[in-house]
Amino acid sequence: MTEREREIISGEADVKDNYRYKVQSLVRNRVKKKFSDDVDVLEEHFPEVYEMIEEEVCTNE
């Protein structure tokens, strides 16, 4: 996510609800469509970064 997307989603940015929903939808769609492919490429071709992601996701509560 961009810094601005983080601010909007976290509620730090003062934006209208409709815009917040739009940003949430954009981020959700980006994760669904691209993140999985990126993770697959990292796992195969850049395993040290894949492991960093895996550790962060699996240990972040």
Side-chain angles (χ1 to χ4, degrees), residues 6-49:
R6 285 186 203 97
E7 291 172 356
I8 292 168
I9 290 172
S10 70
E12 294 175 17
D14 186 24
V15 296
K16 294 184 179 190
D17 287 341
N18 286 344
Y19 189 68
R20 184 181 328 279
Y21 299 142
K22 178 181 177 180
V23 170
Q24 289 172 338
S25 178
L26 289 170
V27 170
R28 183 183 305 109
N29 288 334
R30 191 180 312 138
V31 168
K32 284 181 181 178
K33 292 176 182 176
K34 301 289 183 181
F35 189 68
S36 177
D37 294 339
D38 292 343
V39 170
D40 291 341
V41 170
L42 291 172
E43 182 178 23
E44 184 174 344
H45 300 285
F46 203 179
E48 55 269 22
V49 173

Side-chain angles (χ1 to χ4, degrees), residues 45-56:
H45 300 285
F46 203 179
E48 55 269 22
V49 173
Y50 172 80
E51 290 172 10
M52 291 170 57
I53 292 170
E54 186 177 45
E55 286 177 16
E56 185 66 28

